[in-house]
Amino acid sequence: MPAAVGEPVIEMSGLSKHFRLSSGLFSSNKQVVRAVDDVSLTINRGEIVGLVGESGSGKTTLARVILGLTPPSASTVYVDGIDVAHPAAKDRDRLHREVAVVFQDPPGNLNPRQTALGSIARPLRLHGASRSQAYQRVRDVMASIRMDERYLQSYPHQLSGGQCQRIAIARALALEPKIMILDEPTSALDISVQAQILNLLLDLQESLSLTYLIITHDLNVVRYVSDRMAVMYLGRLMEFGPTRDVLQKPRHPYTQGLLAALPVMNPKDRARDKPVIPGDPGSLIQLPTGCRYHPRCPRATERCKSETPPLAVIARNHTAACIYPLD
Amino acid sequence: MEATREELLRLDGLSVDYPVRGGWLSAVSDLSVTLYRGEIYALVGESGCGKSTVAYAVTRLLPGTERMTGGIYFHGEDLTRLSRARMEKVRGRGIGMVFQNPLDSLNPVYTAGRQVSEAIELDGVSRQDALPRAVRLFRDVRMPDAEKRARSYPHELSGGMRQRVMIAMMLGRDPDLLIADEPTTALDVSIEAQILSILLDLKNARGASVLLITHNFGVVAETADRIGVMYAGELIEEGSARDIFNRPAHPYTRLLMRALPRASKAEGRLETIDGSVPSFLNAPRGCRFSNRCPYSADACVASKPPSRTLQPGHTYRCYREEAI
């Protein structure tokens, strides 16, 4: 039974994904990469959730777990009540139809030897559509992304980055998904093309009542499109809440630092002596003890070095994982 | 203020064409830009607008198959007429460069400190003196654990640290002009902010002059004194950073400014520009933006718009200001 608008559609509680590194034949200390660690997150039907984080934050690994591309190490993800790691045989087809994905590098994610028509029709054919049914659906999808049908005969190398991304979106839409996972959907695009794709994604989301999880490092994109936003750092969820609340009143010092680091969008807003987050994002192999952000945090105390703060409710619908959250 | 500005770099009608099957591709066309001492001048534009070609032309690092016309005057000397050996001396000592991907520019088998000290030795400093100076430079670029990092190899450093090594290496030669081509594009936001604050420090404390080349309007808004907007190989507008952001005159600049996601979707959809940046095998006679411009008229296709001055220091090339 599909969830109604506003009902939870993606749910995870205490989700972890660890990778084991082999550290040599005779070495006994097995190193573990804690790419996603104890993440609890609920996404509701019909909303757009933005997931932001720097490199190594685990945001793409989380997406791969949600997509069932890699099994979780602890706990699991439920999409529409289906355990994505162990779907029952009867649910597998529904899961694959309901959840679609669009990746960052548009030309790299299309088969270079297939026309746009072939790329979009392939998932339909794999799910049992006849050739003519598939073609009809491809034409409908092209209309919904407002792209001329003449591009159906083009190969990826004949298309621009923005056109390739439209084709990738069309392919994702082919099976009429309910949920789209968008991993850096506009990061490789120029500003004018990014605007086209963001507008298109918003139009599709409204007209088809889709649920989006948008993964990006670009806070401007998150501010523009998302209803709620989650901030990850070194595998852990640091803050989650309504986008406007998080941006206007960040509760976690890391979120505050990220916002301060964001370049201004007008030279008149330049600040002298901007606060800068010191140091580099750490390594997932040698994680800091306690709160993972404490080596870079201006508010850190001894407690932060030993205690790992859980995600706690700070304000209405707003959670943060910090011992000393900001007011 | 105006009177004391000292010209450092002047591009005079620079054009660069690349040979392609069937003719010449116009990458940069009739570009004239002056960079003054102590300023950060940003050349901005979308991919394919020719901004990186300008960086390679100024440093004379183009492939050699290109056709280049116009002048590149550095300290009043035309770099296009210099011999290879003379140009070697200008690169590094006169003009330092920082590129997008530092790993491509670093030697994987030398330590970071050695690469910087080697650059310093080029100016006649002894090996003994060069290494401590390299460590000092690492501190200048706020390298964490400067001594330790001087002994690290490039693969042991993060992206932000590698970019710091590149900046330290460049600073070691104390160049008059720094060319930074997408210096923060591969970096995380927190590291980008650190690198930008180093660039601003160089300008404010050392009076460094920077030609910044980027597609990132946030980076420009944060650092640039003046901006040149490029489209399809041409400079279409130039002005102070504040004028370009707050009083853009050319339709392309105006549309770009409204395509930037600054607010939330509740405030409405973003402005878009139909199509994408074209490349020209046979460059058109008229304005290169005319086929995407919502204000395009017959005149725009027939001939190139002349440069017009909105106010001193703010110029643009467009026929259609009364229609906008």
Side-chain angles (χ1 to χ4, degrees):
Chain A
M1 190 53 204
V5 170
E7 295 284 303
V9 65
I10 298 177
E11 292 170 279
M12 65 197 82
S13 173
L15 184 83
S16 295
K17 175 65 193 180
H18 299 171
F19 297 96
R20 206 169 280 274
L21 284 187
S22 66
S23 47
L25 192 54
F26 300 107
S27 169
S28 56
N29 64 326
K30 289 269 185 287
Q31 288 187 312
V32 173
V33 180
R34 298 175 191 278
V36 174
D37 207 36
D38 194 20
V39 168
S40 301
L41 190 68
T42 299
I43 296 171
N44 300 321
R45 172 80 74 209
E47 73 172 341
I48 302 181
V49 171
L51 178 60
V52 297
E54 299 184 275
S55 40
S57 64
K59 53 193 195 299
T60 294
T61 302
L62 183 64
R64 292 177 55 84
V65 176
I66 295 172
L67 286 162
L69 294 174
T70 184
S73 311
S75 188
T76 192
V77 178
Y78 292 95
V79 172
D80 242 353
I82 305 170
D83 178 348
V84 297
H86 312 94
K90 66 177 173 62
D91 291 333
R92 199 162 290 157
D93 188 63
R94 179 155 74 94
L95 197 61
H96 290 157
R97 283 179 176 275
E98 280 200 13
V99 189
V101 60
V102 175
F103 290 110
Q104 171 172 3
D105 172 31
N109 283 298
L110 296 173
N111 184 338
R113 304 208 294 184
Q114 208 149 46
T115 59
L117 174 63
S119 284
I120 304 169
R122 187 167 160 76
L124 292 160
R125 298 280 286 151
L126 287 173
H127 280 259
S130 72
R131 199 175 280 272
S132 66
Q133 283 170 329
Y135 184 59
Q136 187 50 49
R137 176 71 192 138
V138 170
R139 295 184 57 185
D140 291 347
V141 170
M142 288 297 275
S144 72
I145 64 160
R146 300 188 295 262
M147 198 167 175
D148 196 291
E149 283 179 26
R150 70 193 154 98
Y151 291 111
L152 285 174
Q153 304 310 323
S154 304
Y155 288 89
H157 74 268
Q158 297 168 317
L159 299 171
S160 68
Q163 288 166 340
C164 282
Q165 197 61 310
R166 274 173 196 272
I167 298 297
I169 291 168
R171 179 179 60 179
L173 287 172
L175 291 170
E176 299 184 68
K178 302 284 194 301
I179 301 161
M180 295 247 267
I181 312 280
L182 305 154
D183 191 357
E184 304 277 7
T186 61
S187 300
L189 304 176
D190 278 317
I191 293 157
S192 64
V193 183
Q194 166 175 285
Q196 293 169 11
I197 298 292
L198 291 179
N199 285 350
L200 173 67
L201 287 172
L202 286 178
D203 290 347
L204 291 169
Q205 192 261 342
E206 282 177 12
S207 61
L208 304 173
S209 315
L210 297 170
T211 307
Y212 286 167
L213 175 62
I214 296 194
I215 295 160
T216 178
H217 68 281
D218 189 335
L219 281 162
N220 290 318
V221 168
V222 166
R223 174 175 48 210
Y224 182 63
V225 299
S226 70
D227 303 305
R228 291 198 294 159
M229 67 180 279
V231 181
M232 281 184 82
Y233 185 75
L234 288 182
R236 292 186 76 96
L237 197 58
M238 300 309 234
E239 185 159 4
F240 188 37
T243 301
R244 192 196 303 195
D245 297 353
V246 174
L247 294 178
Q248 281 180 356
K249 214 173 171 193
R251 304 299 186 136
H252 198 290
Y254 175 58
T255 313
Q256 186 188 42
L258 266 188
L259 289 174
L262 189 67
V264 295
M265 280 309 212
N266 194 314
K268 68 177 163 53
D269 301 325
R270 269 178 211 173
R272 281 193 166 275
D273 300 322
K274 257 173 74 143
V276 168
I277 303 181
D280 285 300
S283 144
L284 285 166
I285 301 168
Q286 291 162 312
L287 285 171
T289 55
C291 172
R292 293 182 180 182
Y293 186 58
H294 87 255
R296 302 176 82 188
C297 182
R299 295 164 74 88
T301 67
E302 286 301 314
R303 265 184 81 191
C304 303
K305 294 182 188 169
S306 53
E307 282 180 42
T308 305
L311 205 62
V313 177
I314 304 287
R316 201 165 169 268
N317 302 324
H318 194 161
T319 53
C322 180
I323 299 173
Y324 307 106
L326 302 153
D327 292 328
Chain B
M1 186 72 193
E2 289 283 314
T4 62
R5 291 204 300 185
E6 184 191 338
E7 175 188 311
L8 183 62
L9 176 74
R10 181 163 54 88
L11 309 181
D12 186 16
L14 180 72
S15 294
V16 180
D17 304 303
Y18 294 120
V20 288
R21 209 159 43 161
W24 294 90
L25 187 93
S26 168
V28 174
S29 172
D30 194 22
L31 186 85
S32 294
V33 162
T34 302
L35 188 143
Y36 299 97
R37 204 181 264 284
E39 74 170 347
I40 298 183
Y41 186 101
L43 215 42
V44 294
E46 300 187 284
S47 46
C49 73
K51 57 193 188 299
S52 286
T53 295
V54 175
Y56 288 114
V58 171
T59 48
R60 297 273 311 274
L61 291 173
L62 288 169
T65 52
E66 75 285 350
R67 188 171 66 185
M68 183 164 87
T69 57
I72 301 171
Y73 298 92
F74 179 62
H75 284 307
E77 184 176 38
D78 190 352
L79 297 184
T80 63
R81 294 169 189 278
L82 288 192
S83 68
R84 193 179 282 250
R86 283 277 295 130
M87 193 60 212
E88 286 286 341
K89 291 215 159 40
V90 172
R91 272 197 295 264
R93 195 93 185 88
I95 303 176
M97 293 156 286
V98 174
F99 294 108
Q100 175 172 351
N101 190 346
L103 206 52
D104 288 347
S105 313
L106 291 171
N107 188 329
V109 300
Y110 285 114
T111 62
R114 182 76 197 103
Q115 302 194 45
V116 175
S117 63
E118 198 173 44
I120 300 168
E121 284 167 33
L122 288 175
D123 294 319
V125 177
S126 75
R127 189 178 269 224
Q128 271 135 325
D129 295 340
L131 202 58
R133 257 176 74 177
V135 174
R136 271 207 300 284
L137 285 165
F138 277 3
R139 288 206 196 92
D140 288 350
V141 296
R142 289 182 235 135
M143 178 79 86
D145 271 338
E147 280 90 4
K148 185 174 160 225
R149 289 308 170 196
R151 294 191 299 273
S152 302
Y153 289 90
H155 75 271
E156 298 172 309
L157 303 174
S158 68
M161 291 182 198
R162 289 175 196 149
Q163 198 59 294
R164 277 169 227 261
V165 175
M166 290 303 300
I167 296 174
M169 195 186 295
M170 180 274 301
L171 287 181
R173 310 289 312 273
D174 197 18
D176 296 325
L177 171 67
L178 162 61
I179 298 183
D181 188 1
E182 304 279 9
T184 63
T185 300
L187 304 175
D188 277 319
V189 198
S190 66
I191 309 302
E192 173 177 86
Q194 294 169 4
I195 299 289
L196 293 183
S197 89
I198 294 171
L199 272 187
L200 284 171
D201 274 1
L202 290 177
K203 188 195 97 155
N204 294 331
R206 295 195 183 207
S209 317
V210 183
L211 177 62
L212 176 66
I213 288 170
T214 182
H215 71 283
N216 185 326
F217 278 81
V219 168
V220 172
E222 198 70 66
T223 59
D225 297 304
R226 288 194 303 135
I227 297 174
V229 183
M230 286 186 75
Y231 180 80
E234 294 182 330
L235 191 73
I236 53 121
E237 184 161 0
E238 182 183 63
S240 72
R242 281 179 178 239
D243 281 347
I244 296 294
F245 274 84
N246 297 304
R247 302 176 60 194
H250 194 283
Y252 176 66
T253 320
R254 285 164 176 262
L255 290 169
L256 266 189
M257 289 298 157
R258 280 181 277 160
L260 292 170
R262 300 173 204 240
S264 84
K265 61 187 169 186
E267 260 103 309
R269 292 289 191 259
L270 299 167
E271 188 82 48
T272 61
I273 306 173
D274 289 338
S276 51
V277 181
S279 55
F280 293 115
L281 192 55
N282 296 303
R285 271 184 304 159
C287 170
R288 291 188 175 185
F289 187 56
S290 58
N291 64 335
R292 297 175 75 192
C293 182
Y295 308 102
S296 181
D298 290 345
C300 307
V301 184
S303 67
K304 226 163 259 307
S307 178
R308 300 183 180 202
T309 302
L310 195 65
Q311 56 177 323
H314 188 178
T315 58
Y316 65 104
R317 288 176 177 271
C318 180
Y319 281 121
R320 304 282 295 156
E321 81 247 59
E322 61 289 336
I324 299 168

